[in-house]
Amino acid sequence: MTDKKQDEFYIGWVGKTPPTFAALTKRFVLVLLPVIILLGVLLAVSQKKFGTGNFEFGTLTEVRGIYFDKPVPNLRVVTGFGLEGNNSFVTIPLIGYGKFGADGAISDIEKAKHAVLNGKWITLKGTLLYNDGKALMQVDIGDNPITNIADVTPHPMTVDSEQLGSITVKGEIIDPKCYFGVMKPGEGKPHEDCAIRCILGGMPPMLHVVDGSGRINYYFIVGHDGGKINNSIKNYIAGPVAITGKAIQYGDWVVLYTDGPQSITAISKSALWQPKGSIMACAAGGTPLKTPTCSVR
Amino acid sequence: MVKPLRKWHIRFWAILAVVIPAGMVAAVLARPQTASSIVLQPAPSIALPLVLKTISKSAYTASLRASVDTAKLQLQLVNKAVVTSPTLLVYQVGVPSTAATGTDTLLVGRVEATGTYQFALANVSAGAVRVELYDIIHHTLIDTISFTYQPPIKN
Amino acid sequence: MGAHYTAVGWNRQKKIYDWVIFAFCVTYLAVFITVTAFANPDYTFETALIRSTSTLAFLLLHVILSIGPLARINHKFLPLLYNRRHLGVTMFFVALVHGGFSILQFHALGNTNPFLSLFLSNTQYNSLPGFPFQALGFFALLILLLMAATSHDFWLHNLSPKMWKTLHMLVYLAYLLIIMHVMLGVIQYETSPVLVVLLALGAITIISLHLIAGMKEVKNDQVVYPNRKEGFVQVCHINDIEDSRAKMFCIGAERIAVFKTAGKLFAVSNVCKHQNGPLGEGKVVDGCITCPWHGYQYLPHNGQSPPPFKEQVSTYDVMVNEGYVWVNPIAYPEGTERPGALINLQVP
């Protein structure tokens, strides 16, 4: 005699599921439910810590300062007098809307206002982004960003600079807009395409350098004459690189003057999969301010 | 499934059984190492020897330090939390106004990353130093640190 | 177009199935986003959305890929198979949210068309660590789109079941593309081993299930039938076939299902006309051979679906000799009536 349970047969279009089929399906679903919840928790907690950056999306802030177009478009905001009666300032690098640098917006403003902004007091309205005590501002022509332009007569300010010499530093090339608040993560492989698109759109490339204890330096990267090298460094963005250049500190930011891609080497664990012209593995945390001693492929 | 599809099915999975582990191992091996360097640090300033007062909060520990003769005052600020405002400037208020400055507020320094900062302070009336943590961009007073202390007795 | 199609009846089972899928998706998304928000106060919703939908879609793909082999290993899993396409379409839409939002986030508002930017931003196709992983995800999503768009019997009839099945086997390629999309993407950034370990466990499970189920089928297909006489092949003893059930025999080009019903044996092609399901694993219900996958029915003596349905399968000659079942593997045209073979109940 045939076992009745064994002889049960499931037909999808019949409203009722045979008991043994229904029981196994129920068991499957009941096992899957805690598994799904557990996986959700596990995957969520295993994510790398999100960055602390902030993008004040939808909020416009007015800031008054002196505009300089070099080394990257920036606004210097006077913060007060120091102990020795000297002027101090905070530098706010400017970036554009979307995945663009600020040059386009500044050029549009200059045309509209029939004025050259470099070295002028301006009151600029834009969207702030900030992280780690440093701030940047998004300038969008749609925000009607300039409310005032004046000559710098009351407080002439020279762009003082400090030569830090020729150095080699290891880090990752990032686009500052995403890193300082627009995206999390704003660095690493998942963000690579976006960083490339931002830098190709004129965003000033920045080298993010971290030491063993988590302290960070940021270097704006420019050509040896201070010109843009954005288009020639595409293949080095968002991966570990070593860059050699002349470092100059302008107040609260450091700028690295390089010879473009010739000054950059990609760092990877394996030489097997590396594109041509990159170097083999270097020990992390090697001697700074010195060209890597790794063999070149 | 028809026989050719059944055959392709198992061939496909036999190939995947080799390709997937190989791809995964290769990708794990290719993971980039974190490139790290020694970072540039602000010129170190030496902490003055006397600690006149210490105030500890969750975001920072602030100490008022002084030279042995108390002629020089210094603010030592150990910043423990990530700065969440656009800027964090440190002002000393209640300092004598000079012709150059024209104000009783003195900018003594700026805090960015976490770490230890030492800022020289103006020596004001003994026993009270007031410091403000201020964001110049949002024009927001973040915190006020008031030190009241008993100055060491000079011999 | 010659094919006719009618709206699928949403019976109680389908409704339960869909509600369970919905509840699972909502639960997972809620858990992932809530835990992310609590564990990372600095999180952004955009990232939580991109990550929660990606991991959910991948989890659903694991379930989808498990159902086929599970149902072949144990028929009691067949209720999960019946509405599997609902799960597939759901997975596609979840993956579409991930892919669409990622393209918007990483490629929109730039100096290039977002779809071009996807392929032109990172062009390190010759580097493993630098490989443009987003392109892999894009092609996987394209396969899922193709599958979701054709996930209706209208396309099944128009493309032919063999073509449709072949097209839908592209999901295995999509699975490989997604694994490498993850491995060459987020794994190059995250430091926790959790994701790699889970991926490996998932791959081991899916590959093992498919290989086990596949080996079972291969074993079936490799049985040799040495006794042959006048075009007939001896396949089994009549007691090996249960009443109202069948046994499948792969003789030559394709499997033949021999059914025992109403005191007779009938042989028909094992391949259902709907999705090429295994008729031999079905049952005779109300006098009709019923496919275990989606319940398509055929009359045992002529392989024709009962009117008004028009599907037909091939029929074969079968005979009983001294208690043994003999089948002639030469197929009659689809829908040809055959007398079947009477079973002598006094079999030794």
Side-chain angles (χ1 to χ4, degrees), chain C residues 131-146:
Chain C
F131 196 88
F133 73 101
Q134 291 192 359
L136 299 174
F138 179 81
F139 286 117
L141 191 61
L142 214 57
I143 291 174
L144 300 181
L145 165 70
L146 205 61

Side-chain angles (χ1 to χ4, degrees), chain C residues 24 85 88 99 143 169 224 262 267 292 334:
Chain C
F24 266 67
R85 62 179 76 173
I143 291 174
M169 271 171 67
V224 179
E334 290 168 354

Side-chain angles (χ1 to χ4, degrees), chain B residues 1-6 8-10 12-14 16-21 23-28 30-32 34, chain C residues 72 128-129 165-166 172 175-176 179-180 183 187-188 199-200 206-207 210 214-215 217 221 252-255 271 276:
Chain B
M1 275 190 284
V2 291
K3 200 174 173 183
L5 276 187
R6 282 201 299 276
W8 271 112
H9 192 271
I10 192 140
F12 219 145
W13 281 102
L16 288 183
V18 176
V19 172
I20 288 176
M24 288 182 74
V25 169
V28 167
R31 267 151 55 135
T34 306
Chain C
R72 269 181 284 148
L128 188 71
K165 229 30 197 168
T166 310
Y172 306 145
Y175 179 61
L176 173 66
I179 284 195
M180 292 317 290
M183 291 304 301
I187 295 295
Q188 304 295 311
L199 268 179
I206 299 295
I207 292 170
H210 277 271
M215 293 309 282
E217 304 270 334
D221 289 349
E254 195 43 79
R255 285 180 184 171
V271 182
N276 295 163

Side-chain angles (χ1 to χ4, degrees), chain A residues 241-285:
Chain A
V241 291
I243 304 187
T244 303
K246 197 172 75 177
I248 299 179
Q249 179 149 12
Y250 294 91
D252 43 358
W253 290 95
V254 184
V255 178
L256 201 56
Y257 290 82
T258 71
D259 288 328
Q262 297 97 303
S263 309
I264 309 173
T265 43
I267 303 170
S268 175
K269 271 187 187 172
S270 170
L272 283 174
W273 303 310
Q274 272 304 111
K276 279 180 187 169
S278 55
I279 58 164
M280 287 173 67
C282 298

